[in-house]
Amino acid sequence: MNGTRKVSGLALAAALCLILGNGLVANGQAPAAGQDANAPKYTLAEYNAYQACAGEKAPAALLKCLDDFVSKYPNSTLLNYIYPLYYQAYSAQKNYTKMIESADKLAALGDKVDALTRFNAYFAHATSYYSMVSDPTAGPAASKDAALSKAAQDSVASALKIMDELKKPDNVADDAWAKQMATSKITLNGIAALAASNVKDCAGAVASYKAVLALNPDDFTSSYRLGLAYMCMNPPQQIDAFWSIARAVTAKGATQAQSAKVKDYLRKIIANYQGGNVCDSLTDAEVSELLQLAGSTVERPGSYSLPSAADLTTAQKDMTILTVMTDLKAGGDKGKLTWLASCGLEFPDVLSKVIEVVPGTDAVVLKMAFVTSDAEFDAATVPNMEVKVVGQPDAARIEKDTAVHFTGTLVSFDPDPAFFLHWDKAKVKAEDIPKEKTPKKPPVRKPAPKKPSGT
């Protein structure tokens, strides 16, 4: 579906780094040599070499300058400023592999750099992965690379873990900081979920999408893709999938077109889950009920479920019209399951008493009482079934108060107090239809014989 690969909040990645400080996309500014007595030591030559690189604008020239610096000063304490410049140059060239490599080198400095710098390194790795798999050229192959996916997920985990160590800058308001922290968590978990989904790590995708939705419950994309992740698990968690996809349909962030398209998809997968034979009206009712429930809570209640095709097949075993009527009248969960299993089914040779015959142009309607014994037959005076007989005009000759057998499709029912079954596409057993009466021909009168002449 269009737009479902978007990671919420990723557009704020650059803003995040700028708020947090000397991020990889920002030009970190090293202090002048000797300016801070407590700062890591480096020579004036190192500082000047760094400044020369920081002043380069062209990516190729910048990369050459940085390579020269690392060659001369492989153990410089300014590397935490050099690696972000590498990242900047490779980003301009869309060299995603090198972007990730630069971010990893910065992260590898470990305790030599502060928590903020390490966070930005892990964050940069994750966003570089997202840019790579989203690229029309590099994306198709990168999306299938399990090693890239695992590395992205590990970087996200490291970034999320280190966030607890980050200190709010004095010049940032508390609410702005809290909002930015939530945004970064949404972004990171969204990337981890995408990485997991790309390599069919369905359980990992579920965990990450749930983390996104814990912070942004009305995110259309994450709700929809969480549903897909549930469906790809082994075995598929289809009820949870239905719930998550229903959450996408009702999400405040969904457009009308997105909501309509996902609703159609939800209806289709529910129908398939139930075998594709449930009456359309019942499937529509199930979808409506699910949307109403899912729109009010993120987590699926343990009591919510839908019968599967296997459940319906079991319910159909040894099913008769008598058991159907008994269950429907009793109601409850058993009655609901029975109706799902029986609606749309064709039942053969149903014996009933005819109460009324309504002839018609396209169909003959028989109002009948279902009976199971002679005593019930004799006592029946009120119909509890309406049978639409199609393509059998001779059925109009059926007489009131007679017993007939019919085969038909059960299509609906009216509950008590006036319980009534409705049938369609029915055919009456030919032997039960009275033969057409042949009109009697008038007797043939023979002409009287002529009298003999002359008498």
Side-chain angles (χ1 to χ4, degrees):
M1 303 196 59
N2 292 336
T4 54
R5 291 180 64 86
K6 178 181 177 183
V7 177
S8 301
L10 191 55
L12 298 177
L16 172 68
C17 290
L18 292 174
I19 287 177
L20 292 181
N22 59 332
L24 293 183
V25 298
N27 286 323
Q29 193 67 35
Q35 182 175 335
D36 185 350
N38 296 320
K41 303 302 179 184
Y42 47 85
T43 67
L44 180 60
E46 285 178 72
Y47 177 76
N48 289 337
Y50 158 75
Q51 287 284 27
C53 293
E56 289 287 357
K57 302 300 181 184
L62 175 55
L63 288 172
K64 182 179 184 308
C65 183
L66 295 173
D67 287 342
D68 290 342
F69 181 96
V70 173
S71 177
K72 291 179 182 179
Y73 310 108
N75 300 312
S76 174
T77 56
L78 293 176
L79 290 177
N80 60 315
Y81 295 96
I82 292 295
Y83 292 137
L85 291 176
Y86 267 116
Y87 184 92
Q88 176 181 309
Y90 287 128
S91 178
Q93 295 179 339
K94 295 186 178 181
N95 189 335
Y96 307 113
T97 301
K98 287 293 187 179
M99 289 165 64
I100 290 174
E101 181 181 303
S102 300
D104 288 349
K105 286 181 178 179
L106 181 59
L109 294 176
D111 294 338
K112 295 179 182 178
V113 295
D114 59 17
L116 178 60
T117 301
R118 295 198 305 276
F119 170 82
N120 275 331
Y122 295 130
F123 191 95
H125 181 130
T127 54
S128 298
Y129 171 82
Y130 177 78
S131 297
M132 180 187 291
V133 298
S134 301
D135 185 277
T137 301
S143 297
K144 300 175 183 177
D145 192 315
L148 283 175
S149 171
K150 179 64 166 56
Q153 290 176 273
D154 289 345
S155 291
V156 167
S158 296
L160 292 171
K161 182 178 180 180
I162 208 171
M163 285 184 75
D164 294 336
E165 301 178 36
L166 300 182
K167 305 298 183 182
K168 182 183 75 67
D170 293 337
N171 62 341
V172 177
D174 290 346
D175 58 344
W177 178 257
K179 182 178 180 180
Q180 195 60 66
M181 291 297 95
T183 298
S184 66
K185 289 178 181 178
I186 290 172
T187 300
L188 288 165
N189 280 299
I191 294 172
L194 177 62
S197 297
N198 282 341
V199 293
K200 305 301 181 185
D201 175 10
C202 305
V206 165
S208 293
Y209 279 125
K210 290 182 73 172
V212 171
L213 291 167
L215 295 165
N216 185 14
D218 282 313
D219 180 44
F220 163 78
T221 298
S222 296
S223 293
Y224 173 74
R225 292 187 68 81
L226 174 58
L228 299 186
Y230 274 127
M231 290 180 67
C232 87
M233 293 182 73
N234 187 19
Q237 304 299 305
Q238 289 170 293
I239 302 299
D240 287 318
F242 298 155
W243 189 271
S244 296
I245 294 172
R247 289 282 304 168
V249 175
T250 59
K252 294 178 182 178
T255 66
Q256 186 174 357
Q258 287 173 325
S259 180
K261 191 171 185 179
V262 174
K263 181 180 178 181
D264 288 343
Y265 175 68
L266 176 62
R267 190 192 185 287
K268 179 181 178 181
I269 59 176
I270 287 177
N272 289 340
Y273 174 72
Q274 295 185 323
N277 297 315
V278 173
C279 286
D280 288 344
S281 60
L282 298 186
T283 302
D284 290 338
E286 287 180 314
V287 172
S288 295
E289 180 185 26
L290 173 56
L291 293 177
Q292 183 178 8
L293 294 172
S296 61
T297 179
V298 176
E299 293 295 329
R300 176 181 69 84
S303 59
Y304 176 79
S305 65
L306 282 176
S308 66
D311 295 328
L312 299 180
T313 298
T314 300
Q316 291 166 355
K317 187 178 180 181
D318 301 325
M319 178 182 284
T320 67
I321 292 302
L322 178 60
T323 63
V324 168
M325 294 179 74
T326 301
D327 290 345
L328 294 182
K329 288 179 179 179
D333 291 340
K334 181 66 182 298
K336 183 177 180 180
L337 176 63
T338 295
W339 183 233
L340 282 170
S342 60
C343 183
L345 285 186
E346 183 179 83
F347 288 81
D349 293 329
V350 180
L351 176 62
S352 303
K353 179 180 179 179
V354 179
I355 305 299
E356 182 182 355
V357 180
V358 183
T361 303
D362 299 324
V364 177
V365 175
L366 304 178
K367 295 185 178 180
M368 313 176 79
F370 176 73
V371 295
T372 60
S373 66
D374 290 343
E376 288 182 2
F377 184 91
D378 293 338
T381 59
V382 178
N384 58 9
M385 298 192 301
E386 183 178 79
V387 182
K388 185 177 181 181
V389 181
V390 180
Q392 199 176 26
D394 290 350
R397 296 200 299 269
I398 294 175
E399 298 177 352
K400 182 177 180 296
D401 294 332
T402 58
V404 299
H405 300 78
F406 72 88
T407 296
T409 300
L410 190 57
V411 293
S412 66
F413 83 99
D414 304 326
D416 283 334
F419 184 86
F420 219 80
L421 293 180
H422 297 268
W423 301 80
D424 196 6
K425 302 176 183 178
K427 297 288 184 183
V428 176
K429 196 172 184 180
E431 299 93 290
D432 294 343
I433 300 177
K435 301 296 182 182
E436 185 175 9
K437 295 180 180 179
T438 304
K440 293 183 178 180
K441 294 182 180 180
V444 178
R445 293 180 177 273
K446 294 182 179 180
K450 294 182 179 181
K451 293 183 179 180
S453 59
T455 59

